[in-house]
Amino acid sequence: MGWGPIGRKGDENLRRRREEDERSAERLPALLAEVAAAERALAAAQGAGAGAEELNRLGTALDAALTAAMRAAYAEERLLVGARGYTDRIYRRKRLARPDVRAATERAELLLTARETHRLHGVQRVPRRPAGV
């Protein structure tokens, strides 16, 4: 398997992380569909003039969908780098230059940028209510 001289406990930890990444990366297409659906729902609500609470709820749902998709995209990137990339920094850097890995990195970074932009400008703030009311 090529996990390196880390020892039994380290091998098990790396194996667990890789399995988590595999499960997460498998979900990426479904998560991207959730992002698209959440974007459509938010745009429709904005077009219909929905209230602040509804826009906040839909904006928060889009943020959660973007976060899950971004994490899955980075998991896919780690899988494309390979098992040795979890422990060998130089090997990881070399593998990040491959075209298929670069495409996965670009997708993950686009999702990260979209999430951060949405957090800054897309989540409707809900006015606070006074404590005595």
Side-chain angles (χ1 to χ4, degrees):
M1 203 168 216
W3 291 100
I6 293 184
R8 194 157 186 70
K9 187 170 183 159
D11 287 349
E12 186 59 38
N13 187 27
L14 290 175
R15 196 171 295 115
R16 183 184 47 76
R17 285 178 49 201
R18 180 129 174 114
E19 289 170 358
E20 289 172 2
D21 283 347
E22 287 171 354
R23 284 192 300 273
S24 184
E26 284 176 2
R27 296 183 49 226
L28 183 58
L31 292 170
L32 292 174
E34 285 181 28
V35 168
E39 285 176 331
R40 285 192 302 274
L42 181 59
Q46 288 170 336
E53 286 87 12
E54 179 69 11
L55 291 176
N56 178 271
R57 186 184 65 76
L58 292 171
T60 303
L62 177 56
D63 178 69
L66 283 167
T67 300
M70 176 203 62
R71 288 179 178 161
Y74 277 114
E76 180 185 52
E77 175 199 63
R78 288 189 297 273
L79 288 176
L80 289 172
V81 166
R84 194 168 147 198
Y86 286 86
T87 57
D88 188 338
R89 185 175 44 92
I90 294 171
Y91 177 83
R92 177 176 165 70
R93 293 275 299 172
K94 287 180 181 180
R95 296 287 289 209
L96 285 173
R98 289 182 34 200
D100 59 333
V101 180
R102 281 199 344 233
T105 302
E106 185 176 325
R107 179 178 25 230
E109 289 178 355
L110 284 172
L111 287 165
L112 174 64
T113 301
R115 182 188 76 162
E116 295 305 315
T117 301
H118 176 67
R119 282 184 174 179
L120 288 172
H121 307 291
V123 179
Q124 174 71 38
R125 304 232 187 275
V126 178
R128 292 185 177 173
R129 295 190 176 116
V133 177

